[in-house]
Amino acid sequence: MKETQDSLKHFCGIVGLHSRSPINIPHKLFYTLFSLQHRGQESAGITYRKEDKLVTYKDLGKVSDVLTRYLTKDIHSEIGIGHVRYSTFGGNKVENAQPITISCNKGEISLAHNGNISNASEIRKALTDNGAIFQSTSDSEIVLHLIAKSKEKDFLQALTTILNQLEGAFCFTIIFNDMLIAVRDPNGFRPLYIGEQDGITLTASETCAFDSIGITNYRQVEAGEMVIIDKSGQRSIRFSEDKKKHQCIFELIYFARPDSYIFNHSVYLARKKMGAMLAKADGKLGDIVMAVPESGNSAAIGYAQEANLPFEFGLTRNFYVGRSFILPTTEKREMAVRTKLNPVREIVKGKKVILIDDSLVRGTTSKILVKILREAGAAEIHLRLSAPELHFPCYYGIDIPTKEELISNSKSPDEIAKFIGADSVKFIPIDDLRQCIDDPDDFCYACFNGDHPYQHK
Amino acid sequence: MKETQDSLKHFCGIVGLHSRSPINIPHKLFYTLFSLQHRGQESAGITYRKEDKLVTYKDLGKVSDVLTRYLTKDIHSEIGIGHVRYSTFGGNKVENAQPITISCNKGEISLAHNGNISNASEIRKALTDNGAIFQSTSDSEIVLHLIAKSKEKDFLQALTTILNQLEGAFCFTIIFNDMLIAVRDPNGFRPLYIGEQDGITLTASETCAFDSIGITNYRQVEAGEMVIIDKSGQRSIRFSEDKKKHQCIFELIYFARPDSYIFNHSVYLARKKMGAMLAKADGKLGDIVMAVPESGNSAAIGYAQEANLPFEFGLTRNFYVGRSFILPTTEKREMAVRTKLNPVREIVKGKKVILIDDSLVRGTTSKILVKILREAGAAEIHLRLSAPELHFPCYYGIDIPTKEELISNSKSPDEIAKFIGADSVKFIPIDDLRQCIDDPDDFCYACFNGDHPYQHK
Amino acid sequence: MKETQDSLKHFCGIVGLHSRSPINIPHKLFYTLFSLQHRGQESAGITYRKEDKLVTYKDLGKVSDVLTRYLTKDIHSEIGIGHVRYSTFGGNKVENAQPITISCNKGEISLAHNGNISNASEIRKALTDNGAIFQSTSDSEIVLHLIAKSKEKDFLQALTTILNQLEGAFCFTIIFNDMLIAVRDPNGFRPLYIGEQDGITLTASETCAFDSIGITNYRQVEAGEMVIIDKSGQRSIRFSEDKKKHQCIFELIYFARPDSYIFNHSVYLARKKMGAMLAKADGKLGDIVMAVPESGNSAAIGYAQEANLPFEFGLTRNFYVGRSFILPTTEKREMAVRTKLNPVREIVKGKKVILIDDSLVRGTTSKILVKILREAGAAEIHLRLSAPELHFPCYYGIDIPTKEELISNSKSPDEIAKFIGADSVKFIPIDDLRQCIDDPDDFCYACFNGDHPYQHK
Amino acid sequence: MKETQDSLKHFCGIVGLHSRSPINIPHKLFYTLFSLQHRGQESAGITYRKEDKLVTYKDLGKVSDVLTRYLTKDIHSEIGIGHVRYSTFGGNKVENAQPITISCNKGEISLAHNGNISNASEIRKALTDNGAIFQSTSDSEIVLHLIAKSKEKDFLQALTTILNQLEGAFCFTIIFNDMLIAVRDPNGFRPLYIGEQDGITLTASETCAFDSIGITNYRQVEAGEMVIIDKSGQRSIRFSEDKKKHQCIFELIYFARPDSYIFNHSVYLARKKMGAMLAKADGKLGDIVMAVPESGNSAAIGYAQEANLPFEFGLTRNFYVGRSFILPTTEKREMAVRTKLNPVREIVKGKKVILIDDSLVRGTTSKILVKILREAGAAEIHLRLSAPELHFPCYYGIDIPTKEELISNSKSPDEIAKFIGADSVKFIPIDDLRQCIDDPDDFCYACFNGDHPYQHK
């Protein structure tokens, strides 16, 4: 149940493209952004370079709303970047859509940003004190100000200096002159991949974007790495000393597409392991395993295989809800859930159901689902979450409701079970979660344990 | 892969509503039709009765396009019908949208139709010879002509006589005066259910419509049965002598929603049995079982459980394709498939894959899928279809491509395997399919074996 | 002030086109209908013949909304008809849009209708008694029923017989086989012209349609005349004995475009004569002459020239109102008038203003205009109407409010002046109006004097 | 013929509103902007202050497209500004829509601008050199940068200093804190009025905006004046020493609405004088006087009255063209002109026609009109322009085609007459034009004579 408010939201997805010879860049930007649509549905935009000028087109709406016009255009270009956004701070305004394109003393620059710069307000204040004006509420604007203010003559030198002033999460794709630049922050909060085939270089938040245009050869952009692509090829710069990595574990738990490869992990396999870990903790418990589609699917398969229980499509999703159609807010939440998900009564009836979802935010949707499953005759309902209990805010690009709204801040799992009407509720423990990944020390668990890598007031 | 041309299409879904006291009928029509959206996406419409007059609103588009306006209106009424349509004959014209509402010597009548009257052209010719005019190309208009022409004074008597002149598939919901009338043809080609709760009676093509508004109590309208609902309650009339039943097996194989109950079968369980039957025929064969989502899901689960093989979500579907967004036709078919479905490489690589789909029409989509899976490293690909080989047209409401286009009319399963690049292709035999249902003699298999219940030129 | 409810409404405009060799018929239908847009803004539609089949496209909306798609299509055809409609009876439904295209025992027929058949309900009842069904509330459907029912083998023979059963106002353009047929009723209520140039024949309600595609050669279709155009040329049939003519005087007073020629009169010159006649009756009265734009323009010029007073553009119209933008109904009427019309203070201040409009319906708009002009400093305001006092309904195609709503049924001109705040209000007397046209006995004045040519209950 | 490319374009219109007690500010901004729609049709926007925050909504489109949503909202506020824009430089981008709202060290500021700052590029370069970034191509952004950079603590002091650095045309409406500020440049290029009634203060480009909300009491904001409105009332500051005035004569000739009062002139009366002046120069010449509607209307009346010739509505305008409907560019220009304007044949035939328009740009539209009038039988056609010959560009807010495109740069009036097929063409001489206004030395004639008040490269 991820399109309703009872969920976490991601901030953005980004792409960058460079071709040795002119191709229809906007066309390829469309397909790569379309494959990243799940990372942001509120605005979409692209910038491409045409006759030495940057052309930016962006608007509120999905990739298909905003960018379909490019599918029938024949535009030749060698370089472009793109962005999809879910807006939180500052709301749903076109001023916050990206890429942001500016002109300054260095020339024209366009930038797309995924993440959240955690010291943005300090930098913004310093810039403002010094006379800068801001037209959006997005962090990304500060980076462009810093570039314009820099006394360094060399653009890359200037950029390197600036990147070292930023804290928090940032992956950037940037166009400057004939260069495409891909940047990933030193802590590696957000994923970024890069690959080249037949003279076309793509950089994108997830590998499903590479699949979308048939590039099979890619690698992760490393934390603290900047890659510059131009006619002469690819160069890599380590712009930062080595830092501890804080890759976002929630990308693996929920945000990324299961067919993507991020942080050098298969998302699907990682989720299966989380499900299996939940199963191990449960021992022999229910009759069937079901997922809350689609977010619980992979973990549910992992659970079922580990527990040797049948996986069933026990909740049918009406695919006409939620994308093209959003219920008026006057409708009750329960009607919204019922319209989207309906149980298969013959499967559920009399069964002890293990229901797998990725995380529990406010618990309101789960409460309705449990009610619906009870009505369909479920004998027992055991909710299992492939994320640990959510307790803390994220300053690095995930929109988590306030502490007060997070159900795990006011209720224990048993109390939650009582509240939502389930027979039991269990979360994966952080330690178990760590066992599901190869390099557990390189990930950020701050929303679960409060160990934020930076200090925040 | 059901939104592309390489698929079968259904004609329609219908609903009818009666309430003992005035309620917001259009509002409930919205939700019940929305749950039947999969039965027709090209037009939607409703008729309700307001101050003794019939009000009809219909247009090209989905339920959410056409009828969302009713979610914020407060209309009190006691009776209404609704329709979703996929248009074939006569194309995509608003004139063919339903319900059709007419005035005639009996008064105002509104009718919604699911099915295909196979002797429509003969009746139409007789009517035309006698001076009737037709404004649409739909069969349904002839029924209204016959009613208007009938010399019978009593409406139900007239309707009974007329229904006995019709051949083929017809479920009707009709408003006449303060009566809601539900009709199912004597052969029972198409499903129709009826149920009452708290004074509200719903009749609808599938039971998921009942779930959508919380009516838990329903039964099948029998073949040859007419149910009349008005203030005084429900009456049932058998308008036809008993005939052999020819329920559409394809409703169970593919069209209906898995959470629906039709023809007294759970759709989901029936499909699981078909999958299991395919597994039995295969014996020990592959490493993993995957579905072509969503149409192959239930059968794939059945196969996996029977074969004791792991079911995996090996193809990730991009849910932003196909409903709100349709690729321009200038794009190549392969791009369309790739944009919609992407394999999980880590799952597929080096594996012997059993891929389950419901049916094979032209084979073009399957060919692309096989290619995509090969690229992802699949060691073997065995395509299994839960429908037998398609050889013949349907005259009762399914849009099947021409004989020449059906791949099974020109190729054996082995030849198909070669054509699409799979290691093997197998269809469920009709006899196996019959074993998956309780009353196999009551179903129509004409599209597989050519045994059409009526003669057609 | 003609877009608000305080006005009369016309029913329709029609066109028909035939070309000896294939041309882009829909393209030319667009331009001719566009020039008749003032005759109906609620729906638009065309039918053209393509490969022996009739193709109809119609929808609610203006010509530019509905038919612009044809401007970029390249369709070759030899025959087409078109229609614009302002819907009254039966409201704003797409079912009432025209042309109506049917198939019947004679073949396919498409028909567009301007006017109102005054014995439609009797014929409709007879047809209904005999088993006909009606899908719209428009009169036009009965004509198609009569054709289908006719035993005459020859289509034109059948049509002739039927036309003689109809009473009231009807101009038709009809496609049957390769024939375009233009019909004007024996009383000649509504205008219809026909002309041919370079192998292209156009028939249309007003001559401005001929100008729009550059046909300079045309004549009136006579009352009781049917013109048949096909490959072999034009034939004319007098389908009715000679009847007294009842041409609608309101077409000249208000409905037609001033640049049109109808009923063998220049509309602009006729209106100037009406204005002059008003001036003669007034003698020396005011300082300046102003029109309520646009409907009072021509008469105001006539008044000014006769009275030898300066004509001034004293009311500025905001052209952004009323076509693309309609104020929400929650706004007050006065705000709507003020937004549309604003006086030129320097012109009006201290002046005795003669204000010319075409007719007075409820008087509400005039009351606001008088108030606005007083605020702008007008010393005196004398309202003059180029139509006599409206007392009676029209059964022949004009939508006149109920008798109770017509201000002239409850107030004398002096009382109206008091009500709206003018210094005086005068209507052109019927006798004066008759002097403004060449053949006054050939016109219908029933809405003024109640002498309806047919009996109506 | 002003909606086609063969015309001059204005840049903008602005409004500002302040109310002593909270009112529905967006609602009133709608109506005042709607009355200024003729000053810019490509984007519209408003900013209002709500709970000490600025809310900006703007988009491409007309006022009715972008802002109608506010007519049904109930928003209470005390201060707002609005803008309509015709975009030239930088094209049709939402980034260039106004008001521009920023946050900086002074707080939040929103600004709307009418005019063109002629030293913008120098200032922009200086700002850029100093590290400023620009997100739009509009001049207006530089003003906000200058404010942010200013070391002056007092906002109004800062603003005053900055305004003295600007050259060229600028009227601003600005919101800062609880202040509405109205600014008019020292040369007074563009008009700006201010008025207060019942505690509501409006400032707007033309007085028709005051009429739209019933404020009858207003005065011109003087050149070099800044008016500050807050709770305590209105204050006026002369921010500049006295400079020579260069009011745009083209506002009077063509841009402003005839019912407006600008530069202390009635627009309508000024145009009548221009027409009269043309008539004096002609002596006794033709039979009738006609205008190219609507731009020639007022001058044509002036001509007719002076020459004692009849004014006639000889060209009928189809009001459905041009606002809601724009012909596809594939259509020929001649078809576009014919669709919009059609002569009244009976008026034109055999007559010596004096045709009045405001100005001649490329001459293409006039050529078509002359052709159309000839076809309608005009004996002679004499085109008279109420603007002198256009020779030079404008740097102060009018979009004039390049020198090469201006027909008067390559042809004398006689050559133009020959080119467009008229019997004669005459422009009002600058000296005659000067006699039509009270204070001719206070106007700018640079587009006619090249005397630009500032130096431009």
Side-chain angles (χ1 to χ4, degrees), chain A residues 231-266:
Chain A
K231 289 241 163 187
S232 62
Q234 240 185 64
R235 275 176 300 153
S236 171
I237 297 175
R238 302 297 300 217
F239 64 84
S240 156
E241 62 195 287
D242 265 19
K243 291 199 183 170
K244 184 172 178 331
K245 288 202 210 157
H246 294 281
Q247 299 175 126
C248 174
I249 190 67
F250 240 113
E251 292 271 358
L252 284 177
I253 295 173
Y254 165 58
F255 287 120
R257 262 175 57 164
D259 52 336
S260 280
Y261 204 80
I262 57 164
F263 304 142
N264 292 326
H265 285 74
S266 156

Side-chain angles (χ1 to χ4, degrees), chain A residues 437-448:
Chain A
I437 43 181
D438 300 338
D439 38 11
D441 290 345
D442 289 352
F443 280 81
C444 175
Y445 309 88
C447 53
F448 310 129

